[in-house]
Amino acid sequence: MSMLKNPAKKYRAYPVLNLPDRTWPNRILTEAPIWCSSDLRDGNQSLIEPMSPDKKLKFFKTLVQVGIKEIEVGFPSASQTDFDFVRLLIEDNLVPDDTTIQVLTQAREDLIARTFESLQGAKKAIVHVYNATSPAFRKIVFKQDKDGTRALAVHAAQLLKKYAAQQPDTDWRFEYSPETFSATEPEFAVEVCNAVSEVIQPTDTHKLIFNLPATVEVAMPNVYADQIEYFCRHINNRDKIVVSLHTHNDRGTGVAASELGLLAGADRVEGCLFGNGERTGNVDLVNLALNLYTHGIDPKLDFSDIDHIRQVVEECNQLPVHPRHPYVGDLVHTAFSGSHQDAIRKGFAQQDPDGIWEVPYLPIDPADIGRSYEAVIRVNSQSGKGGVTYLLEQEYGIQMPRRMQIEFSQVIKEETDRSGTEVSAMQIYNLLDTHYLQAHTPYAYQTHSLQESGGESQLQVEVHKNGQPVQLQGAGSGPIAALAASLPEDIEIMDYNEHAIGSGSNARAAAYIELRRDGQRPVFGVGIDHNITTASIKALFSALNRSLV
């Protein structure tokens, strides 16, 4: 088989809602939603090898550390492992007082009873019950009409109240999901949820959670937002209801659908760290939270050490986080392109540490989430002088003059073109060392003596020229002029720059000299030494030797 020339013969677009007075497009997000992690349930059930109890506990502790206050910890009626894990959390008192565990169950009495059994002794808990409501599931999977689907949900709600009453010491909250909500007729989803609410009788202190899943993404995110706004307008007792989102990523727009759903009035988001989940995954809580953060909104979650969190998640899920994953991927703060590198370097140079973040190409300061600046700029054959300059400055304190940046970038380009790979900061420094600092032929500096009197410098320099010792003598308005006068070469000093590397007793001086010999193309030389005069002499010989190659 092959792709159809007319896919409309097999597939149809999901219908849009008639909601001409929709208000969500004109809203802005101003605060974080309630977060609920489904990593230990939805995420875990999607793994090739589900987590062991030790891994689940490590993951749970990480979620608590991040600051997620509602954590779906399992499906205890479907798995003995999940049942035992819930018991472990309760019996070993591992749930902080400000954190609520949540468990999922289907709308069947035996499963609901088993779920409440797993929660015996819990201080507080959310019991999450669901049944599918969309036409396809009603017709194909359950062979039920609307009345049967609604009755199943109502009966489940009655069972929640019944079994909760048998354990009055636990602070119970309830959650109901019309599974496949995004593919369900909006008015029927509201009808079923209103029927559930009538049984539960939510209050201001014990609100009922209606979780509205895009179990499978079937439409563009704006359609999901319309569905959420419609639901929020028509559900009874809205002030006693928490509207929760649970988007999947089948169309690749799970994050967008959740953001628009929040604009449409939702209060809560269920998802997984870094987007693990069935098929293409659940919505990515890290992505959502840091999107808020970069708009100046406190997400109420702490990702200050994002690399450690990623390490735990990768270990527990046995799935790698993609290198292009927003915010945490190995390459997301990395620029290889020369123009990008130049813009980033200039942005860092001008960034006010106490001002609004304005570094081009970086929507977030990597330091805020514990990422180092070392990986921001990396150099390959696509890179330019900006990246090379940035890495040498950040890693080695080398601040090349602009024209030398252009000259040295050609050295790097030749190397990356030859190797076909990127080069590290160490490799870049080694190339600088090889081509500039170790340019000792034909003139190899040995030692010098300097006398200054009346504004004139008298310089004696001992060098080896092609291995033979030579004494040079010269006078001038400064050491560099005196050295130039001592040389048996026709040279012109075009430019001179110097700066300190480090501070205190360990500080060194770096000198850069641009030199033209016999009217030829100017070249640069570099010298580094604890003494600035020695560094300058080395720089001149470096440039002279390079001009003689």
Side-chain angles (χ1 to χ4, degrees), residues 119-145:
L119 290 168
Q120 286 182 358
K123 296 176 184 177
K124 54 185 178 181
I126 298 170
V127 180
H128 178 188
V129 67
Y130 72 96
N131 67 299
T133 56
S134 65
F137 272 76
R138 297 195 310 258
K139 178 178 71 174
I140 298 169
V141 180
F142 299 114
K143 303 190 185 305
Q144 282 182 330
D145 59 13

Side-chain angles (χ1 to χ4, degrees), residues 348-369:
F348 274 127
Q350 299 174 34
Q351 177 63 40
D352 178 356
D354 299 317
I356 295 296
W357 180 253
E358 289 186 301
V359 176
Y361 295 112
L362 295 179
I364 192 172
D365 183 349
D368 287 0
I369 50 176

